[in-house]
């Protein structure tokens, strides 16, 4: 694979392709000043990022859309240069809700299509306006839905041109097999977005996905923001790892750049989140070096099989 900034894309099974590096945009809305996402996406586009990872539940999709539209208006990019990934939330799994939910996202973005639309999680919550529905005891209210029926509604969104590609997120092998073995399957999921970094390398899922032409998109590729409200902080901070730092020293790179490069070198797409201009640029400087086979093995050996994002729901 030729890893240069110009050719850093991987093919998808439906004939489209996805940039190996994207900007993650999840930030706690309570703790993040309004407009930070807008500014960060614009800086990312100026830096050379063409892939933006977002979601309705990040509550900043309007800022992502505005940044993309402003950069198009400036003549910096064309719509087709950008790869935007949106996500179907848990309260919208019933098939009849899928297309209206995507249409709502498109309205928020003020765009005509998303490049990739993914089922964010394999389990459904009670449909309605409450994003995290809970009963009187504080327990999540789940909803019985058929993931295969949800998938058929996703296929219809692709056929309608509202999503160029469709995929999934947080699916395990069994859930992927359910879709892949669905009678009358029209489109396979092109990608599965899961936690993936040197402390959680996903060897088995990666192999399974490779066999089925499903690209792994690695979220929390820098080991998360370590926000204790949703992150398992008992696992040590990834970027302090001595091996990543020692390898970085050799190439004059940071541990973050080594962690990102490790994944792209093995064909895993990375979507590091940063709303800091310097770190947005730093995370883009990962195409001008390559790791030896020995270094790749050393990093693989860091795997602890422990998730930062436990998704206890
Ligand atoms: P991450 O990208 O691993 O880490 C983000 C944290 O690292 C932020 O606190 C960021 O702070 C900091 N950071 C960024 N670049 C850095 C660098 N070069 N050096 C040091 N620190 C750096 O974590 P994430 O946000 O959990 O995951 C990334 C994206 O994946 C999300 O934004 C979201 O788009 C997606 N995601 C998807 C799911 C899912 O269920 N599908 C789950 C989790 C995340 P600054 O902003 O201050 O730079």
């Amino acid at each position: 694979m030729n890893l240069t900034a110009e050719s850093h894309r991987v093919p998808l099974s439906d004939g489209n392709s996805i940039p190996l590096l994207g900007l993650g945009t999840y930030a706690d809305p309570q703790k993040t000043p309004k407009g930070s996402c807008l500014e960060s996406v614009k800086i990312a586009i100026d830096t050379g990022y063409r892939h933006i990872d977002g979601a309705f539940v990040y509550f900043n999709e309007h800022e992502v859309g505005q940044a993309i539209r402003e950069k198009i208006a400036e003549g910096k990019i064309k719509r087709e240069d950008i790869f935007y990934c949106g996500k179907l939330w848990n309260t919208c799994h019933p098939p009849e809700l899928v297309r209206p939910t995507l249409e709502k996202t498109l309205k928020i973005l003020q765009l005509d299509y998303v490049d990739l639309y993914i089922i964010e999680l394999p389990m459904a919550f009670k449909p309605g306006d409450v994003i995290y529905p809970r009963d009187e005891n504080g327990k999540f209210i789940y909803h019985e839905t058929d993931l295969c029926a949800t998938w058929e509604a996703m296929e219809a969104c692709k056929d309608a041109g509202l999503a160029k590609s469709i995929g999934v997120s947080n699916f395990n092998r069994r859930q992927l097999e359910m879709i892949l073995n669905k009678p009358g399957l029209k489109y396979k999921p092109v990608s599965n977005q899961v936690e993936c970094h040197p402390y959680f390398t996903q060897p088995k899922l990666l192999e399974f996905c490779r066999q089925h032409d499903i690209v792994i998109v690695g979220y929390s590729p820098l080991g998360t923001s370590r926000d204790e409200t949703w992150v398992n902080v008992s696992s040590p901070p990834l970027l302090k790892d001595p091996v990543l730092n020692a390898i970085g020293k050799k190439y004059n790179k940071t541990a973050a750049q080594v962690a990102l490069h490790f994944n792209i070198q093995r064909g895993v797409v990375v979507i590091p989140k940063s709303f800091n201009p310097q770190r947005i640029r730093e995370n883009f400087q990962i195409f001008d070096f390559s790791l030896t086979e020995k270094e790749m093995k050393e990093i693989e050996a860091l795997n602890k099989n422990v998730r930062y994002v436990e998704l206890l729901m």
Side-chain angles (χ1 to χ4, degrees):
M1 195 185 301
N2 179 16
L3 294 180
T4 65
E6 292 72 38
S7 64
H8 61 270
R9 298 181 79 98
V10 276
L12 297 172
S13 62
D14 62 1
N16 295 325
S17 67
I18 181 170
L20 269 166
L21 172 66
L23 182 79
T25 59
Y26 174 71
D28 185 336
Q30 310 297 334
K31 300 178 192 155
T32 312
K34 283 197 172 49
S36 343
C37 177
L38 168 68
E39 281 315 307
S40 303
V41 173
K42 289 201 286 187
I43 291 165
I45 292 172
D46 286 341
T47 304
Y49 288 74
R50 293 295 176 262
H51 172 180
I52 315 291
D53 182 77
F56 172 74
V57 283
Y58 299 172
F59 300 108
N60 55 14
E61 254 184 341
H62 57 292
E63 295 190 24
V64 175
Q66 189 182 336
I68 294 172
R69 286 180 285 105
E70 281 185 23
K71 286 292 153 190
I72 294 172
E74 261 177 41
K76 174 88 194 168
I77 46 159
K78 298 196 194 76
R79 171 64 187 91
E80 56 269 31
D81 299 329
I82 288 291
F83 187 99
Y84 179 72
C85 171
K87 305 188 184 90
L88 180 80
W89 181 240
N90 306 2
T91 50
C92 312
H93 280 206
E96 67 280 8
L97 296 184
V98 173
R99 181 173 175 159
T101 304
L102 173 53
E103 283 170 339
K104 192 165 145 196
T105 272
L106 292 173
K107 205 167 161 200
I108 293 170
L109 290 163
Q110 295 184 44
L111 296 177
D112 300 330
Y113 64 88
V114 294
D115 298 274
L116 176 61
Y117 199 51
I118 62 181
I119 302 177
E120 191 156 351
L121 284 149
M123 74 280 191
F125 284 163
K126 183 184 137 198
D129 291 335
V130 182
I131 300 290
Y132 295 96
R134 291 176 190 267
D135 65 15
E136 57 281 9
N137 302 313
K139 292 219 163 93
F140 284 115
I141 310 174
Y142 294 98
H143 187 71
E144 281 280 325
T145 42
D146 173 4
L147 264 184
C148 288
T150 307
W151 185 253
E152 285 169 7
M154 296 285 284
E155 292 179 324
C157 289
K158 178 169 160 69
D159 281 337
L162 302 178
K164 297 272 180 207
S165 297
I166 49 174
V168 296
S169 176
N170 295 302
F171 273 43
N172 62 24
R173 176 185 174 143
R174 195 174 53 80
Q175 290 149 348
L176 286 171
E177 275 173 342
M178 216 166 85
I179 306 287
L180 293 172
N181 298 332
K182 187 187 86 65
L185 180 73
K186 194 162 184 192
Y187 306 115
K188 290 199 305 188
V190 296
S191 62
N192 187 15
Q193 186 179 123
V194 293
E195 179 174 342
C196 191
H197 48 71
Y199 283 177
F200 196 67
T201 55
Q202 298 270 24
K204 286 187 189 160
L205 189 63
L206 186 55
E207 184 49 35
F208 177 80
C209 286
R210 273 194 187 127
Q211 283 164 7
H212 292 273
D213 244 345
I214 298 170
V215 171
I216 292 270
V217 176
Y219 71 65
S220 305
L222 302 173
T224 77
S225 57
R226 299 186 69 78
D227 176 338
E228 291 187 28
T229 59
W230 59 278
V231 175
N232 164 21
V233 289
S234 67
S235 193
L238 177 70
L239 300 184
K240 295 242 162 75
D241 184 85
V243 172
L244 296 179
N245 281 283
I247 293 174
K249 214 166 175 190
K250 173 177 162 193
Y251 295 103
N252 202 16
K253 293 285 172 187
T254 61
Q257 290 168 323
V258 173
L260 296 175
H261 188 93
F262 161 72
N263 261 337
I264 62 166
Q265 190 161 321
R266 55 189 201 138
V268 172
V269 173
V270 287
I271 47 169
K273 175 265 170 184
S274 180
F275 284 179
N276 170 289
Q278 196 187 322
R279 289 190 284 277
I280 290 171
R281 292 185 195 107
E282 174 184 327
N283 297 342
F284 193 74
Q285 300 308 316
I286 55 171
F287 300 102
D288 56 356
F289 70 115
S290 73
L291 299 168
T292 64
E293 222 168 285
K294 182 167 164 276
E295 288 161 347
M296 289 295 285
K297 290 229 153 59
E298 269 170 37
I299 299 175
E300 265 164 32
L302 298 176
N303 185 24
K304 296 179 191 295
N305 264 323
V306 178
R307 291 171 197 273
Y308 286 115
V309 185
E310 291 178 303
L311 295 168
L312 295 175
M313 88 258 285

